[in-house]
Amino acid sequence: MKEPSQKLSHVDQDGKAKMVDVSAKNVTQRTATAQSVIKFPEEVFQSLSSDQFLGPKGSILQTAIIAGTMAAKRTSDLIPLCHPLPLSKIQIDIFPEENHLKIESRVKCEGKTGVEMEALTAASVAALTVYDMCKALSHDIIISETKLMAKEGGKNAFNR
Amino acid sequence: MKEPSQKLSHVDQDGKAKMVDVSAKNVTQRTATAQSVIKFPEEVFQSLSSDQFLGPKGSILQTAIIAGTMAAKRTSDLIPLCHPLPLSKIQIDIFPEENHLKIESRVKCEGKTGVEMEALTAASVAALTVYDMCKALSHDIIISETKLMAKEGGKNAFNR
Amino acid sequence: MKEPSQKLSHVDQDGKAKMVDVSAKNVTQRTATAQSVIKFPEEVFQSLSSDQFLGPKGSILQTAIIAGTMAAKRTSDLIPLCHPLPLSKIQIDIFPEENHLKIESRVKCEGKTGVEMEALTAASVAALTVYDMCKALSHDIIISETKLMAKEGGKNAFNR
Amino acid sequence: MKEPSQKLSHVDQDGKAKMVDVSAKNVTQRTATAQSVIKFPEEVFQSLSSDQFLGPKGSILQTAIIAGTMAAKRTSDLIPLCHPLPLSKIQIDIFPEENHLKIESRVKCEGKTGVEMEALTAASVAALTVYDMCKALSHDIIISETKLMAKEGGKNAFNR
Amino acid sequence: MKEPSQKLSHVDQDGKAKMVDVSAKNVTQRTATAQSVIKFPEEVFQSLSSDQFLGPKGSILQTAIIAGTMAAKRTSDLIPLCHPLPLSKIQIDIFPEENHLKIESRVKCEGKTGVEMEALTAASVAALTVYDMCKALSHDIIISETKLMAKEGGKNAFNR
Amino acid sequence: MKEPSQKLSHVDQDGKAKMVDVSAKNVTQRTATAQSVIKFPEEVFQSLSSDQFLGPKGSILQTAIIAGTMAAKRTSDLIPLCHPLPLSKIQIDIFPEENHLKIESRVKCEGKTGVEMEALTAASVAALTVYDMCKALSHDIIISETKLMAKEGGKNAFNR
């Protein structure tokens, strides 16, 4: 956990939501990497895998990558207190692993605040899209482990 | 896993994404319940909890509930192959449990197709909003267990 | 003021925002009329009026009408707890009166809940658009008297 | 009223709407403050006030603040000739006064054009949200006095 | 050309934009088919074709199909006087022909007004997406022949 | 056609859509001009022309210009792999010519990548809006020749 001082300086006494003022921050190159994992019942995963992830509604991986990319650009429209940021790169990769798909999103921006939320939103919406394209096959698909993997360019670099 | 017949009838042979034709389906009352869980490092959770979940940017729970509610209405705009649906109810509750918050979303609609994706999108965006409002405190917050809890009104009712 | 019983039945005890459940309501034809007034300093109004309301950025009235019409369709995307509604008519008229413009919006829908917010949003965004197109001329333009004029089709018809 | 020369130089002869070219302007730090006032019938205001502004749909003030904040970010999407701007701060405060609520919005940006419309849009949509959350109580709520209070960073600083 | 009577009954005398009132129309099943054609310089087309339409940014056809599908759902948000409609099916196919791609979109809805604009918007945005994904290869790509191919379910069925 | 080297360096081997990384590019002033042409059956064009392009739903040219302007700002939200760009100018002109309307759009931006897609999207959506406002008159209106006319500010200046 970070220093209480940092935390407390930001707290608005009566709990009103407010977008943090980033005007005094420097523009630097910011990157963030996030991931999300979608777990399938074994037989569903085998079936999808043997079909090269063509699900009932079309190519699951392609559709999810595009949906996640578009969602990253809409992050500040979805998350109330996020700043609008001029993203310079969005890349989403999806890796089939044992009975799950791992989604990895990487986002870059030159801005005054980091792009963690953009990377996390990209991974989450890609995961929801996978879910949508597979939900006719099972009600037991679970989106798990959506988390930040790395960030750079702000005060606190981080690498899991 | 459902019947192969059902699955195969929907598969488009060359993987092109396409929105399923629901025009022949009946309008019925559809409900879905979904949940998402946000896990915090213990000391972060204790700190948030003792502050009644007022985080660095304001009231975490109120902001997340509103963001999730608005996201539910935008589901078909985010998930490429979802149908637009006239939602008649969206309710989001957030329960503090042991070192995590559990988000529960319930969505209702009179329509030709179910509202699972709306409930899952509501829970996911509420969870992302919680993350955004707490991310200054830790990089180790994880969104996990986003899943369908129940659905009613279509061919396959479901209750976990 | 309406009956306490009605009010209290809707109150959620701990103040959590939630979209009211309208699933049990009947679909009826709903209409609402709203207005907004934009007041100008006299010389600005005279100047605009003598130019037939062609302002620095183009035709003020045409642009405002279109912006208000588009905003009405986005009401449920802007106002957190509004239901999405299939609007069947939106009409906006702008009347020059003494040193002000009066915007009148009329909205119609077949739905389970009224269209007051759609009419009010249409009038408000049309007024903001007028403001934007005239703001180079004065800082003393004021949007005033945005209010409901009439509604029909729900439990409480109203006509000012 | 400003100089006719300034005004006329911008007028497009046949009234076609067009976004002003700001490419030659300098990037400076821009701020704007706007306000909006929502007037209630006295007994409605007393009732809301004694309930700490928890209305039929939840916490009125929290929901309005979030809606206004999100709307500020969407200003260029709502007002046809507004430029997209990378807002660095949005703050909305709501003050209960005698039988009305005063909404004050403050917006900051580093850009080539001012943020008046963002501040006014934030205040207007927050006011509409208050209206929506209270409309079950009275048809006589009125949004009035939406106006610019101050701006800085462009050619014409202003302070009411 | 249709009857003058029909045309004139709709004309608003002073040219104000307004959404036509469809409240008195019947809900029927509406379909529309539209197409758009994208012409390429011969060597560019040969190259794309031999790469199976994998362009500089990824799979051209998949991305265009998804973009067109999502745009169809946003038609009433893009075209000022279109009514919001609950689309029940969107299908986009892209056919490689001699030095061009032909995009065909089919849209279905149960509503009070037709879905021509939805089909045309789907085809246009799919075509723009193809353009975007190929524009690094040539400045001489042209989107041509965007037109309605068929419609059914309203007063004037049509089949080219 | 451009050099194969350029093309191949961008190709992602398995066709996954991805937004090109522009973070290393310079910010320069970018402009692009595009056009679109809408062809009408002769008698429809004569009729519209003699009515000064006031169609069944209002002023065709004004509405199309505003719709195209707003769409330019939404380009990165519609075209999956476009970068969000802070547009500094959008201008749309519509010229009546022999049995057709020619739409010309000009867009300017200071950014790391060009604004061709913004200009093409503006022209396309303006054309779709013209279509929508005239479609009651004929099913034989065709949108043709949407193409880039000029671009400046990037590596490859172009002027048709």
Side-chain angles (χ1 to χ4, degrees):
Chain A
M1 190 162 73
K2 311 227 187 109
E3 289 304 305
S5 66
Q6 174 184 357
K7 180 186 112 196
L8 292 172
S9 68
H10 285 190
V11 176
D12 197 26
Q13 263 135 331
D14 40 344
K16 276 179 309 193
K18 86 174 172 217
M19 231 171 87
V20 171
D21 185 350
V22 300
S23 58
K25 290 179 155 193
N26 292 326
V27 171
T28 61
Q29 179 159 301
R30 315 274 182 155
T31 60
T33 305
Q35 72 156 54
S36 194
V37 166
I38 308 144
K39 294 182 190 160
F40 297 86
E42 183 175 348
E43 59 181 356
V44 173
F45 190 81
Q46 296 314 323
S47 162
L48 287 169
S49 186
S50 67
D51 283 348
Q52 295 177 278
F53 295 96
L54 297 183
K57 294 174 167 185
S59 165
I60 295 167
L61 306 190
Q62 294 269 14
T63 308
I65 287 171
I66 294 168
T69 301
M70 295 179 86
K73 294 189 272 186
R74 241 183 270 174
T75 301
S76 68
D77 207 35
L78 287 170
I79 311 296
L81 305 176
C82 276
H83 295 81
L85 290 172
L87 306 185
S88 52
K89 173 189 164 172
I90 304 166
Q91 182 174 340
I92 298 177
D93 294 285
I94 305 183
F95 305 101
E97 299 183 347
E98 199 189 339
N99 293 339
H100 65 264
L101 290 172
K102 188 176 83 181
I103 297 174
E104 193 178 279
S105 59
R106 281 176 281 170
V107 177
K108 212 184 260 191
C109 165
E110 285 75 53
K112 294 187 167 201
T113 184
V115 287
E116 297 101 302
M117 292 316 301
E118 283 72 11
L120 288 159
T121 300
S124 293
V125 173
L128 287 167
T129 301
V130 169
Y131 190 105
D132 177 50
M133 298 188 79
C134 299
K135 71 179 191 292
L137 303 177
S138 166
H139 294 314
D140 288 317
I141 300 168
I142 296 177
I143 301 172
S144 68
E145 293 288 307
T146 302
K147 64 185 173 192
L148 184 66
M149 299 305 287
K151 58 171 286 197
E152 255 179 57
K155 254 184 298 192
N156 303 295
F158 168 75
N159 207 315
R160 195 170 295 276
Chain B
M1 195 161 71
K2 310 224 188 111
E3 288 305 303
S5 67
Q6 176 183 357
K7 180 185 115 198
L8 292 171
S9 68
H10 285 190
V11 176
D12 196 25
Q13 262 134 332
D14 41 340
K16 280 178 306 195
K18 87 176 172 215
M19 230 170 88
V20 171
D21 185 350
V22 299
S23 58
K25 288 178 157 194
N26 291 327
V27 172
T28 61
Q29 179 158 301
R30 314 275 182 154
T31 61
T33 306
Q35 72 156 55
S36 194
V37 166
I38 308 145
K39 294 181 188 159
F40 298 86
E42 184 176 348
E43 59 181 356
V44 173
F45 190 82
Q46 296 314 322
S47 162
L48 287 169
S49 185
S50 67
D51 284 348
Q52 295 179 278
F53 295 96
L54 296 182
K57 295 174 167 185
S59 166
I60 294 167
L61 306 190
Q62 293 269 16
T63 309
I65 286 170
I66 294 169
T69 301
M70 294 178 87
K73 292 189 273 184
R74 242 183 267 175
T75 301
S76 69
D77 207 35
L78 288 169
I79 311 297
L81 305 177
C82 276
H83 295 81
L85 290 173
L87 306 185
S88 53
K89 173 189 165 171
I90 304 167
Q91 181 173 342
I92 298 178
D93 294 285
I94 306 184
F95 305 101
E97 299 183 346
E98 198 189 340
N99 295 339
H100 65 264
L101 289 172
K102 189 176 82 180
I103 297 174
E104 192 177 280
S105 58
R106 281 177 282 170
V107 177
K108 210 185 263 192
C109 164
E110 284 75 51
K112 295 188 167 201
T113 183
V115 288
E116 298 100 302
M117 292 315 303
E118 283 70 13
L120 289 158
T121 300
S124 293
V125 173
L128 287 167
T129 300
V130 168
Y131 190 105
D132 177 50
M133 299 189 79
C134 300
K135 70 180 195 290
L137 302 177
S138 165
H139 294 313
D140 288 317
I141 300 167
I142 295 178
I143 300 172
S144 68
E145 293 289 307
T146 302
K147 65 185 173 193
L148 184 66
M149 299 306 286
K151 60 171 285 197
E152 254 179 59
K155 255 184 298 191
N156 304 295
F158 168 75
N159 209 314
R160 196 173 292 279
Chain C
M1 195 161 72
K2 311 229 186 107
E3 288 303 302
S5 67
Q6 175 183 358
K7 182 184 111 197
L8 293 172
S9 67
H10 285 189
V11 177
D12 196 28
Q13 262 135 332
D14 41 343
K16 280 179 306 196
K18 87 174 173 218
M19 231 171 86
V20 172
D21 185 350
V22 299
S23 58
K25 289 179 155 194
N26 291 326
V27 171
T28 62
Q29 180 159 300
R30 315 277 182 153
T31 61
T33 306
Q35 72 155 54
S36 194
V37 166
I38 308 144
K39 295 183 189 159
F40 296 86
E42 183 175 350
E43 59 181 355
V44 172
F45 191 82
Q46 295 314 321
S47 163
L48 286 169
S49 184
S50 67
D51 283 348
Q52 295 179 278
F53 295 95
L54 296 183
K57 295 174 167 185
S59 166
I60 294 167
L61 307 190
Q62 294 268 16
T63 308
I65 287 170
I66 294 169
T69 301
M70 294 179 87
K73 292 188 273 185
R74 241 184 268 175
T75 301
S76 68
D77 208 35
L78 288 169
I79 311 297
L81 305 177
C82 277
H83 294 80
L85 290 172
L87 307 185
S88 53
K89 173 191 166 173
I90 305 167
Q91 182 174 339
I92 298 177
D93 294 285
I94 307 184
F95 305 101
E97 299 183 346
E98 198 188 338
N99 294 340
H100 66 264
L101 289 172
K102 189 176 81 182
I103 297 174
E104 193 177 279
S105 60
R106 282 176 282 170
V107 177
K108 212 184 263 191
C109 165
E110 285 74 52
K112 295 188 166 198
T113 183
V115 287
E116 297 101 300
M117 291 315 302
E118 283 71 12
L120 289 158
T121 300
S124 293
V125 173
L128 288 167
T129 301
V130 168
Y131 190 104
D132 177 50
M133 299 190 78
C134 299
K135 71 179 192 293
L137 303 176
S138 166
H139 294 313
D140 287 318
I141 300 167
I142 295 177
I143 301 173
S144 67
E145 294 288 306
T146 302
K147 65 185 173 193
L148 184 67
M149 298 306 285
K151 61 171 285 197
E152 254 179 61
K155 253 184 299 190
N156 303 295
F158 169 75
N159 208 314
R160 195 172 293 279
Chain D
M1 190 162 74
K2 310 220 189 117
E3 287 307 301
S5 67
Q6 174 183 359
K7 179 187 111 196
L8 293 173
S9 69
H10 284 190
V11 176
D12 196 28
Q13 263 136 330
D14 39 343
K16 279 177 306 192
K18 85 175 173 216
M19 232 173 85
V20 172
D21 186 350
V22 299
S23 57
K25 289 178 156 192
N26 291 326
V27 171
T28 60
Q29 179 158 300
R30 316 275 181 154
T31 60
T33 305
Q35 72 155 57
S36 194
V37 166
I38 307 145
K39 294 181 189 159
F40 296 86
E42 183 175 350
E43 58 180 357
V44 173
F45 191 82
Q46 296 315 321
S47 162
L48 287 170
S49 186
S50 67
D51 284 348
Q52 295 177 279
F53 295 96
L54 296 183
K57 294 174 169 185
S59 165
I60 294 167
L61 306 190
Q62 295 269 15
T63 308
I65 286 170
I66 294 169
T69 301
M70 294 179 87
K73 294 189 271 185
R74 239 183 272 174
T75 301
S76 68
D77 207 37
L78 287 171
I79 312 295
L81 305 176
C82 276
H83 294 80
L85 290 171
L87 306 185
S88 52
K89 174 192 164 168
I90 304 167
Q91 181 174 341
I92 299 178
D93 294 286
I94 306 184
F95 304 102
E97 299 183 346
E98 197 189 339
N99 294 339
H100 66 263
L101 289 172
K102 189 175 80 179
I103 297 174
E104 192 177 278
S105 59
R106 282 177 280 169
V107 177
K108 210 184 266 193
C109 164
E110 285 74 52
K112 296 188 165 199
T113 184
V115 286
E116 297 101 300
M117 292 315 303
E118 281 73 11
L120 288 158
T121 300
S124 294
V125 173
L128 288 166
T129 301
V130 168
Y131 189 105
D132 177 50
M133 297 187 80
C134 300
K135 72 179 193 291
L137 302 177
S138 166
H139 294 313
D140 287 317
I141 300 168
I142 296 178
I143 301 172
S144 68
E145 292 288 309
T146 302
K147 64 184 173 194
L148 184 67
M149 298 307 285
K151 60 171 285 196
E152 255 179 60
K155 254 184 300 192
N156 303 294
F158 168 76
N159 208 315
R160 195 172 294 276
Chain E
M1 193 161 73
K2 310 222 188 115
E3 288 304 302
S5 66
Q6 174 183 0
K7 181 185 111 198
L8 293 171
S9 67
H10 285 188
V11 176
D12 196 26
Q13 261 135 332
D14 41 342
K16 280 179 306 196
K18 87 173 172 218
M19 230 171 88
V20 171
D21 185 350
V22 299
S23 58
K25 288 179 156 194
N26 291 326
V27 172
T28 61
Q29 178 157 303
R30 315 274 182 155
T31 61
T33 306
Q35 72 155 55
S36 194
V37 166
I38 307 145
K39 295 181 189 160
F40 297 86
E42 185 177 346
E43 57 181 356
V44 173
F45 190 82
Q46 296 313 322
S47 162
L48 287 169
S49 185
S50 67
D51 284 349
Q52 295 179 277
F53 295 96
L54 297 182
K57 294 174 170 185
S59 165
I60 295 166
L61 307 190
Q62 295 269 17
T63 309
I65 287 170
I66 294 168
T69 301
M70 294 179 87
K73 291 188 273 185
R74 241 184 268 174
T75 301
S76 69
D77 206 35
L78 288 170
I79 311 296
L81 305 177
C82 276
H83 295 80
L85 291 172
L87 306 185
S88 53
K89 174 191 164 172
I90 305 168
Q91 181 173 341
I92 298 178
D93 295 284
I94 306 185
F95 305 101
E97 298 184 346
E98 199 189 336
N99 295 338
H100 65 264
L101 290 172
K102 189 175 81 181
I103 297 174
E104 194 177 278
S105 59
R106 281 177 281 169
V107 177
K108 212 184 263 192
C109 164
E110 285 74 53
K112 295 187 167 199
T113 182
V115 287
E116 297 101 301
M117 292 315 303
E118 282 71 13
L120 288 158
T121 299
S124 293
V125 173
L128 288 166
T129 301
V130 168
Y131 190 105
D132 177 50
M133 299 189 80
C134 299
K135 70 179 193 291
L137 302 176
S138 167
H139 294 313
D140 289 318
I141 300 167
I142 295 178
I143 300 172
S144 67
E145 294 287 309
T146 303
K147 66 185 173 194
L148 183 67
M149 298 306 285
K151 60 171 286 196
E152 255 179 60
K155 252 184 301 190
N156 302 295
F158 169 75
N159 208 313
R160 195 171 294 278
Chain F
M1 190 161 75
K2 312 227 187 109
E3 288 306 303
S5 66
Q6 175 183 357
K7 180 186 110 197
L8 292 172
S9 67
H10 285 189
V11 176
D12 196 26
Q13 262 137 330
D14 41 343
K16 280 179 305 194
K18 87 175 172 214
M19 232 172 87
V20 171
D21 185 351
V22 300
S23 58
K25 288 179 156 194
N26 291 326
V27 171
T28 61
Q29 179 158 301
R30 315 275 181 155
T31 61
T33 306
Q35 72 155 56
S36 193
V37 166
I38 307 145
K39 293 181 190 161
F40 297 87
E42 183 175 349
E43 58 182 357
V44 173
F45 190 82
Q46 295 314 321
S47 164
L48 287 169
S49 184
S50 66
D51 283 347
Q52 295 178 278
F53 295 96
L54 297 182
K57 293 174 168 185
S59 166
I60 295 167
L61 307 190
Q62 295 269 16
T63 309
I65 286 170
I66 294 167
T69 301
M70 294 179 87
K73 293 188 273 185
R74 241 183 268 174
T75 302
S76 69
D77 206 35
L78 286 170
I79 312 295
L81 305 177
C82 276
H83 295 81
L85 289 172
L87 305 185
S88 52
K89 173 191 164 171
I90 303 166
Q91 182 173 341
I92 297 177
D93 295 285
I94 305 184
F95 305 101
E97 298 185 347
E98 199 188 339
N99 295 339
H100 65 265
L101 290 171
K102 189 176 83 181
I103 297 174
E104 194 177 277
S105 59
R106 282 177 279 170
V107 177
K108 212 183 264 191
C109 165
E110 286 74 53
K112 296 188 166 200
T113 184
V115 286
E116 298 100 301
M117 292 316 302
E118 281 73 11
L120 288 158
T121 299
S124 293
V125 173
L128 287 167
T129 301
V130 168
Y131 190 105
D132 177 50
M133 299 188 79
C134 300
K135 72 179 192 292
L137 303 176
S138 166
H139 295 313
D140 288 317
I141 300 168
I142 296 178
I143 301 173
S144 68
E145 293 288 306
T146 302
K147 65 185 173 193
L148 184 67
M149 299 307 285
K151 59 171 285 196
E152 256 180 59
K155 254 185 298 193
N156 303 292
F158 168 75
N159 207 315
R160 195 171 294 276

